[in-house]
Amino acid sequence: MPRKVPVLAATAMAVGALAIGSLPAAAEPSPPGQSPTGGTAPAPEVAPGMLKSISRDLGITTSQARTRLVNERQAAAIEKTLRKKLGSRYGGAWVTGSTSKLTVATTDRRDTRVITAAGATAEVVEHSLAELEAAKEALDRTALNRAPRATSVWAVDVQSNSVLVRAGQPAAAKDFLTRSGAAPELVRVTQSAERPRLYAEDLRGGESYYSNGSTRCSIGFAVTKGGKDGFLTAGHCGKAGAKTTGHNRAAQGTVRARSFPGDDFGWVEANSGWRATPYVKGTGGANVTVSGSQQMPPGSSVCRSGSTSGWRCGTIEQHGATITYEEGTVEGLTRSTVCAEPGDSGGPFISSDQAQGTTSGGSGDCSLGGTTYYQPVSEPLKKYGLTLKTG
């Protein structure tokens, strides 16, 4: 468990339990754009400032940002269809370039016609996604028994068709791989100084909530259960039974359940004075509407909000990463290029209008750049029987 202060705190993104009386800002509809299939697909509604933020943080034009969001929405649908069609031959999918062109991998060259007909670029690879995931699971099992020395991050990297291991000491990492029994040809070890930590400090500012009156974290996505309102957040932000107060220090709710380490999620059931709304706090404080929770493929744009560093954007790198924090190992996180800082824990990650996850931890900062990991929303929603509040 983190110290009293060190908890990932990202209150700003508050899509979850917002104070009574907050009203949504009007969404800024985007004009239609070009879909990966070459046709015109309706663009998802874009929150005020999102195009500008993506343009700024990814170094592209607002026109490219608009097309990118349209293509990514279409890519998620195409990927879902092709994954089912290819079955055991499926090697993963990702988007690349300023406007997010979709690539789908297969282990069988005969599938290329099916892939291109669906509107994606085909890539023939040696290993299926199932093989890579099995190798990654072998590393996970070994880490649960004994955390690897100086090896902090590993995840399936579909673009390199390998399990990518980032290690401060590659020799120690190779010993870890040997103990795991994972096939060496499936794993790629790279030198990395990255040492993820939990963003947890009791700092001022932003739309925050406090656990037991001291630890500050951020509201993630609003949820409902049995007529009660509440929100998702990071599991390391507070133990089950902890009382929470809102950004105004008024009594807010109770942590009903949490999972950390292993996972990094939890949920707070709010008092009657707080209501769930389908919004997260975007750039300039504008509301960003959450419409669903479709997981986006690697390479897609993603933005997050935090009470320390505000609204920041980047791209998704890998899903299903396993992270070794000082406090313990956490599995199933998503690695992103979005920066974050202490005080941003628990805050939401969103791609277009689709909820992706809640901030866990990372490395670096928003001055020099960094890497942040988030806990996908699907697992806590299913485990706790929660319903995501959408607009």
Side-chain angles (χ1 to χ4, degrees), residues 33 45-46 50 64 72 78 103 158 169 203 208 214-215 221 232 238 246-247 261 263 281 286 315 319 334 356 377 385:
E45 285 193 348
V46 179
M50 181 177 281
Q64 289 172 323
E72 289 169 359
I78 294 174
T103 297
V158 292
Q169 298 177 17
L203 304 174
S208 310
S214 57
T215 300
F221 295 99
L232 293 177
H247 62 87
D263 303 299
K281 184 178 180 181
T315 60
H319 293 302
T334 294
Q356 299 298 298
V377 298

Side-chain angles (χ1 to χ4, degrees), residues 38 55 67 70 103 201 210 221 229 237 273 279 315 323 337 357 360:
S55 173
T67 302
V70 174
T103 297
E201 283 191 85
Y210 300 83
F221 295 99
D229 290 349
C237 285
Y279 310 117
T315 60
I323 311 301
T337 65
S360 176

Side-chain angles (χ1 to χ4, degrees), residues 237-287:
C237 285
K239 295 181 179 180
K243 298 298 181 182
T244 67
T245 53
H247 62 87
N248 55 1
R249 293 290 189 168
Q252 181 193 62
T254 304
V255 178
R256 288 302 179 201
R258 72 90 176 245
S259 180
F260 178 81
D263 303 299
D264 193 7
F265 56 72
W267 84 282
V268 174
E269 181 182 300
N271 300 332
S272 59
W274 299 78
R275 66 184 177 94
T277 68
Y279 310 117
V280 300
K281 184 178 180 181
T283 183
N287 284 326

Side-chain angles (χ1 to χ4, degrees), residues 65-81:
R66 180 181 294 110
T67 302
R68 183 182 181 97
L69 292 178
V70 174
N71 288 351
E72 289 169 359
R73 175 66 66 83
Q74 186 73 5
I78 294 174
E79 184 276 335
K80 185 177 181 179
T81 299

Side-chain angles (χ1 to χ4, degrees), residues 185-335:
E185 66 272 17
L186 298 176
V187 182
R188 185 164 62 96
V189 178
T190 63
Q191 177 83 36
S192 173
E194 182 178 345
R195 296 294 295 169
R197 70 191 190 285
L198 299 175
Y199 290 128
E201 283 191 85
D202 194 2
L203 304 174
R204 299 178 181 179
E207 295 221 7
S208 310
Y209 82 91
Y210 300 83
S211 178
N212 283 337
S214 57
T215 300
R216 178 175 65 83
C217 275
S218 301
I219 293 172
F221 295 99
V223 295
T224 59
K225 180 177 183 178
K228 298 287 188 178
D229 290 349
F231 59 87
L232 293 177
T233 187
H236 70 262
C237 285
K239 295 181 179 180
K243 298 298 181 182
T244 67
T245 53
H247 62 87
N248 55 1
R249 293 290 189 168
Q252 181 193 62
T254 304
V255 178
R256 288 302 179 201
R258 72 90 176 245
S259 180
F260 178 81
D263 303 299
D264 193 7
F265 56 72
W267 84 282
V268 174
E269 181 182 300
N271 300 332
S272 59
W274 299 78
R275 66 184 177 94
T277 68
Y279 310 117
V280 300
K281 184 178 180 181
T283 183
N287 284 326
V288 178
T289 301
V290 179
S291 298
S293 56
Q294 171 70 53
Q295 178 176 278
M296 306 304 283
S300 298
S301 316
V302 69
C303 298
R304 52 152 291 278
S305 177
S307 57
T308 299
S309 57
W311 179 257
R312 302 284 178 163
C313 299
T315 60
I316 296 168
E317 290 203 324
Q318 293 107 25
H319 293 302
T322 300
I323 311 301
T324 301
Y325 295 122
E326 287 185 7
E327 294 81 355
T329 298
V330 178
E331 300 177 21
L333 300 183
T334 294
R335 176 185 170 92

Side-chain angles (χ1 to χ4, degrees), residues 90-153:
Y90 177 73
W94 59 93
V95 295
T96 55
S98 59
T99 55
S100 294
K101 300 298 183 182
L102 176 65
T103 297
V104 175
T106 177
T107 58
D108 191 333
R109 189 171 299 278
R110 291 172 295 182
D111 290 326
T112 57
R113 183 176 297 179
V114 173
I115 294 171
T116 55
T121 298
E123 183 164 320
V124 181
V125 295
E126 185 175 356
H127 309 295
S128 69
L129 181 61
E131 289 179 273
L132 298 177
E133 289 177 337
K136 195 262 180 182
E137 287 169 4
L139 299 181
D140 290 348
R141 288 192 297 271
T142 303
L144 289 176
N145 295 325
R146 189 172 75 183
R149 182 163 54 90
T151 303
S152 55
V153 181

